[in-house]
Amino acid sequence: MLKSDAVRAWIADFLSSLTATDQAEIKGDTRFNTLGLDSVDAVVMAGAMEEHFSTQIDATLALRNATIDDLMADLRANGIVE
Amino acid sequence: MADLATFNSLAPALRDDPYPVYAALRARAPVFWSEAEQAWVLLRHAEVGAAFANPDLRALDLGDYVRNVARRLKEDPADLLRLLDVALFFRNPPAHAPLRSLVARLMAFRSQQGCADAVARIARRLIAPLAREGGLDLIADFANPLPQLFMGWLLGLAEDDALWLGRRLAGVPVVLSRGCSLRDYREADLRLAEAHGFLRDRIARCRRSPGEGGLDLLVARNDAAEQKLDDDRLAALASFVFLAGFETTSALIGNGLWLLLRDEAVFGKVASDPGLIPGAVNEALRLEPPIQQVRRRAGGDQLVAGHEIKAGQQLVLMIAAANRDPQAYPDPDRFLPERAGLPVLSFGGGLHHCLGAWLARLEAEAALRAVLGGPRPSLVLQQPDWLPHHNQRRLSSLAVTA
């Protein structure tokens, strides 16, 4: 299982560089929509996460959650993150 | 599920039994905007039926979407894109009509009786091991190969080739799911590259020594047309037809058998009156539609059930909910093969009404007839295992004993 802190930091970093948003502005409850994330981005993010952490992460996880907090909870519920 | 704005059909809780959730939502708001879906969700028969018939609501082109993903990653899933470019249900006018007419020719080229005889032969042969060996998996051994062999017969392929093509193409429709992963796109592209290579070879063979199969017809029609498809596209079209011909039909057969076998009274009723078989297939289509939802994009501003839908916004046409709308079907959750009434929405409608709908019904009726005519199968497991796709309703297996 992946470390929670590492995954959270990776997601924030990915979103920050993808959407050119200051990391400080990306909070746990910031909605992906408001960052300008679309469904292509979400699929690409899941794919990049999968490669970075060498584990299977379905793109549905990224698409069915609206915030980092929701996504982290879902990853935990699916036994991907501890 | 209480909050309409956060409704998301990708929620895992909807996988096994989405219908009570749709019923509760429909009672509250038959049409609503979901932030999570970034789309209007339509749940009633009236609005979903009207949306299918409205030419100003356009199909979403999955090819454009996959191109965007591929561009981002600097990849070129050439065979997947070729397939999506000929996939009729994603294409809008003007690209849509010439492709549709070519496929319609193929669907109509054998007589209905000829098709019925061929599929009955295939169904009887596939079900025979149940009596002979005492058990089988109605999905892997019956519902899956039946339409593959039938489409093979229609195209004029050898049985082994049809089954090989079926194995290559199985699983490719996962790319139709919202939220499928990059690895799914890559896997689909690899599988399609093999299938298309095989079909290009067969197309060349059709030209060298023309035969009388459906593929020969497709090649001859295309070669005589003013605007010809090149062989890459023609192979993709043949693979689209094969795929569209077996994936949802396999799902329909499996879903229909599950609905019959889980209820002894229903099974007994249909078994004692084969005249009810077409009605049983219709109920299977209605209650467990293989395609649960499709999306459209509004071309211009629309008014739907009093809601203003802006040009460019997306709509989810929830077939699975509309088919159980109590305003359209009294007592909507019951399997009543003698039911009459509004047409089910499982084959869509309007410009994109399923071209193979009559073949799918024919195949499913032959499948049910073959099972009902043999020893009564008993389910090994009482809970079926649905494949994890939010927009495709299909069992992974259905083991039975005689």
Side-chain angles (χ1 to χ4, degrees):
Chain A
M1 269 208 276
L2 307 175
K3 296 266 185 234
S4 173
D5 290 351
V7 174
R8 188 180 278 276
W10 185 92
I11 296 171
D13 188 47
F14 183 90
L15 292 174
S16 157
S17 42
L18 187 78
T19 63
T21 309
D22 192 357
Q23 279 231 21
E25 284 175 40
I26 301 178
K27 309 261 188 342
D29 61 356
T30 309
R31 297 182 69 86
F32 294 143
N33 282 347
T34 61
L35 290 170
L37 203 76
D38 66 14
S39 58
V40 172
D41 300 324
V43 170
V44 170
M45 178 168 86
M49 251 175 115
E50 217 169 61
E51 280 171 17
H52 182 82
F53 292 106
S54 305
T55 184
Q56 187 163 321
I57 295 169
D58 288 332
T60 44
L61 286 159
L63 281 164
R64 71 187 181 210
N65 292 292
T67 66
I68 297 184
D69 286 346
D70 292 348
L71 175 57
M72 289 301 296
D74 207 348
L75 288 166
R76 219 168 283 128
N78 279 278
I80 296 167
V81 163
E82 66 185 22
Chain B
M1 247 354 113
D3 184 10
L4 299 174
T6 60
F7 168 76
N8 193 335
S9 53
L10 293 178
L14 288 175
R15 180 173 305 165
D16 285 342
D17 190 10
Y19 307 110
V21 175
Y22 295 152
L25 287 171
R26 191 179 42 232
R28 246 182 88 192
V31 173
F32 63 91
W33 172 259
S34 160
E35 271 305 308
E37 294 268 353
Q38 285 292 298
W40 292 92
V41 180
L42 278 52
L43 298 172
R44 268 197 312 220
H45 193 282
E47 284 86 15
V48 172
F52 273 124
N54 182 349
D56 200 28
L57 298 180
R58 322 246 308 164
L60 259 68
D61 196 324
L62 184 62
D64 286 347
Y65 180 79
V66 173
R67 262 188 196 91
N68 283 337
V69 174
R71 198 172 300 134
R72 182 78 63 77
L73 300 165
K74 300 188 172 52
E75 291 183 23
D76 179 24
D79 283 285
L80 176 56
L81 290 172
R82 269 185 212 119
L83 179 84
L84 296 175
D85 281 347
V86 297
L88 287 168
F89 35 75
F90 297 130
R91 301 318 306 273
N92 290 300
H96 180 253
L99 289 170
R100 186 170 167 105
S101 132
L102 201 53
V103 176
R105 291 274 178 193
L106 176 66
M107 296 284 119
F109 111 104
R110 295 280 186 219
S111 74
Q112 210 150 331
Q113 191 57 52
C115 290
D117 292 345
V119 76
R121 267 195 314 274
I122 294 167
R124 279 195 303 267
R125 179 155 57 91
L126 290 174
I127 202 66
L130 179 61
R132 205 168 55 225
E133 286 151 35
L136 50 69
D137 178 354
L138 285 174
I139 303 301
D141 304 325
F142 186 71
N144 286 354
L146 187 151
Q148 294 175 15
L149 290 170
F150 177 73
M151 286 310 293
W153 172 82
L154 193 65
L155 286 168
L157 300 175
E159 293 209 335
D160 284 351
D161 288 342
L163 294 173
W164 178 87
L165 203 52
R167 279 195 300 278
R168 287 295 84 197
L169 295 175
V172 166
V174 72
V175 302
L176 308 186
S177 312
R178 188 165 70 90
C180 92
S181 299
L182 290 178
R183 75 186 110 79
D184 299 319
Y185 292 124
R186 290 175 182 140
E187 163 90 8
D189 187 51
L190 289 175
R191 286 171 166 273
L192 287 165
E194 282 186 66
H196 293 174
F198 166 82
L199 286 164
R200 276 194 302 274
D201 177 64
R202 287 305 138 115
I203 287 166
R205 204 184 282 185
C206 288
R207 286 211 187 84
R208 276 200 309 274
S209 47
E212 299 195 335
L215 194 60
D216 298 279
L217 176 93
L218 209 55
V219 172
R221 282 265 161 197
N222 178 64
D223 291 359
E226 244 171 70
Q227 300 253 315
K228 296 180 201 15
L229 301 172
D230 64 23
D231 279 8
D232 284 337
R233 296 242 156 159
L234 196 55
L237 185 65
S239 109
F240 164 71
V241 169
F242 192 86
L243 200 54
F246 85 80
E247 275 283 343
T248 43
T249 311
S250 289
L252 169 62
I253 293 170
N255 298 354
L257 290 172
W258 152 248
L259 288 167
L260 280 184
L261 293 174
R262 72 168 185 176
D263 186 331
E264 274 188 39
V266 164
F267 188 95
K269 186 157 103 181
V270 182
S272 65
D273 180 3
L276 288 174
I277 289 176
V281 167
N282 199 60
E283 282 295 84
L285 281 162
R286 189 179 67 79
L287 289 165
E288 298 289 2
I291 300 295
Q292 297 260 299
Q293 56 165 285
V294 299
R295 281 195 176 223
R296 292 286 187 261
R297 179 181 280 116
D301 292 351
Q302 314 277 330
L303 200 62
V304 176
H307 297 275
E308 283 177 37
I309 293 175
K310 297 256 170 280
Q313 285 187 325
Q314 294 190 14
L315 301 89
V316 174
L317 281 50
M318 201 64 86
I319 297 166
N323 275 349
R324 293 182 185 229
D325 178 355
Q327 287 177 7
Y329 308 102
D331 215 348
D333 296 323
R334 284 188 64 202
F335 185 100
L336 300 172
E338 64 278 24
R339 189 191 285 278
L342 291 170
V344 297
L345 295 170
S346 317
F347 291 115
L351 213 53
H352 290 280
H353 184 269
C354 176
L355 265 179
W358 68 274
L359 281 175
R361 288 186 190 269
L362 188 86
E363 289 172 74
E365 287 167 19
L368 262 50
R369 200 168 288 120
V371 172
L372 291 164
R376 166 80 197 266
S378 314
L379 294 173
V380 173
L381 298 170
Q382 296 308 310
Q383 279 303 319
D385 190 18
W386 297 102
L387 287 174
H389 308 311
H390 74 292
N391 60 354
Q392 296 160 51
R393 188 75 166 161
R394 190 162 177 186
L395 292 167
S396 60
S397 66
L398 193 63
V400 293
T401 53

